[in-house]
């Protein structure tokens, strides 16, 4: 049996670190996406929904899906064009190139979702490229996976910044993650992709 401590380097190799790349015709920063034309009917379409559902009460809901805004989802595809507006006629500003990367949906329009990543970069992406499967990315320099939600609990693995993990149960200050075959609890403050007050079963 292998040593219980999984090296951070091994996890980095498993999950990668690249998140997005600018297209040749894009500006150096993302401009605010164009607002939907007035009077255009919003087509009701299926969208990536958080699974399992968080128990928190959202302040607002999307006009298309009726789901909470903002909400977290993840990348279903390994590549997604990020457009300046909610249609194929809008220019591509960025390309997300990391499957399972957590994203936050902040607006809806027809079959399109306006998303942003942990750095605030983003734009409009077709809903079919998104998944309701929840993930989180490590934002602290290092995050320990602990046997239980307790800072004094044994450490089962150690994750470096940029590692993406599957998100499981969340309590007041901790979330249970799965990464590289290891499971454990990590403080929410070390992650992006989960709300500070979000509770999950």
């Amino acid at each position: 049996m292998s040593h219980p401590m999984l090296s951070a380097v091994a996890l980095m190799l498993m999950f990668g670190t690249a998140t997005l790349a600018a297209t040749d015709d894009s500006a150096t920063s993302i401009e605010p996406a164009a607002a939907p034309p007035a009077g255009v009917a919003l087509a009701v379409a299926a969208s990536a929904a958080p699974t399992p559902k968080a128990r928190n009460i959202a302040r607002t809901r999307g006009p298309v899906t009726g789901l909470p805004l903002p909400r977290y989802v993840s990348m279903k595809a390994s590549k997604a064009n990020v457009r300046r507006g909610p249609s194929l006629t809008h220019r591509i500003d960025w390309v997300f190139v990391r499957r399972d990367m957590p994203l936050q949906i902040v607006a809806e329009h027809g079959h399109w979702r306006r998303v942003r990543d942990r750095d605030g970069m983003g734009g409009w992406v077709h809903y079919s490229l998104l998944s309701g499967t929840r993930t989180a990315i490590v934002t602290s320099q290092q995050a320990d996976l602990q046997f239980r939600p307790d800072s004094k609990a044994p450490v089962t693995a150690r994750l470096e910044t940029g590692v993406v993990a599957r998100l499981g149960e969340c309590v007041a200050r901790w979330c249970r993650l799965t990464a590289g075959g290891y499971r454990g609890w990590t403080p929410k403050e070390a992650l992006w992709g989960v709300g500070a007050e979000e509770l999950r079963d």
Side-chain angles (χ1 to χ4, degrees):
M1 183 175 180
S2 61
H3 193 281
M5 184 69 70
L6 181 65
S7 71
V9 174
L11 283 174
M12 290 296 285
L13 291 175
M14 290 178 187
F15 291 89
T17 56
T19 56
L20 55 80
T23 58
D24 292 339
D25 63 346
S26 68
T28 56
S29 61
I30 292 181
E31 297 180 7
V40 175
L42 299 180
V44 177
S47 177
T51 306
K53 293 182 179 179
R55 294 178 299 192
N56 303 74
I57 299 176
R59 294 182 179 178
T60 59
R61 292 187 175 272
V64 180
T65 64
L67 295 173
L69 287 179
R71 66 180 181 273
Y72 291 101
V73 292
S74 62
M75 276 273 294
K76 180 190 296 184
S78 58
K79 179 181 179 181
N81 292 332
V82 183
R83 297 180 181 273
R84 189 161 297 188
S87 77
L88 294 175
T89 60
H90 287 86
R91 66 180 292 178
I92 298 171
D93 281 330
W94 298 94
V95 179
F96 285 128
V97 291
R98 188 174 183 183
R99 188 189 301 274
D100 295 329
M101 180 176 68
L103 297 168
Q104 187 179 53
I105 294 179
V106 296
E108 302 176 350
H109 180 81
H111 288 72
W112 296 83
R113 306 292 176 262
R114 190 175 187 182
V115 300
R116 61 188 177 196
D117 66 7
R118 62 170 177 164
D119 298 317
M121 298 292 192
W124 291 89
V125 173
H126 196 272
Y127 82 95
S128 64
L129 302 176
L130 304 174
S131 170
T133 299
R134 293 290 300 277
T135 61
I137 188 168
V138 176
T139 54
S140 62
Q141 185 174 359
Q142 182 175 279
D144 291 338
L145 290 184
Q146 298 185 257
F147 187 73
R148 58 181 180 275
D150 184 341
S151 58
K152 297 180 180 179
V155 175
T156 60
R158 185 158 288 140
L159 310 182
E160 290 250 336
T161 184
V163 169
V164 172
R166 183 67 60 90
L167 188 65
E169 181 182 355
C170 290
V171 293
R173 297 176 57 190
W174 297 76
C175 284
R176 195 180 190 202
L177 304 179
T178 301
Y182 288 77
R183 293 182 180 179
W185 293 83
T186 297
K188 289 180 180 177
E189 62 187 16
L191 306 171
W192 189 88
V194 60
E197 300 180 358
E198 183 176 355
L199 305 177
R200 289 168 51 83
D201 296 323

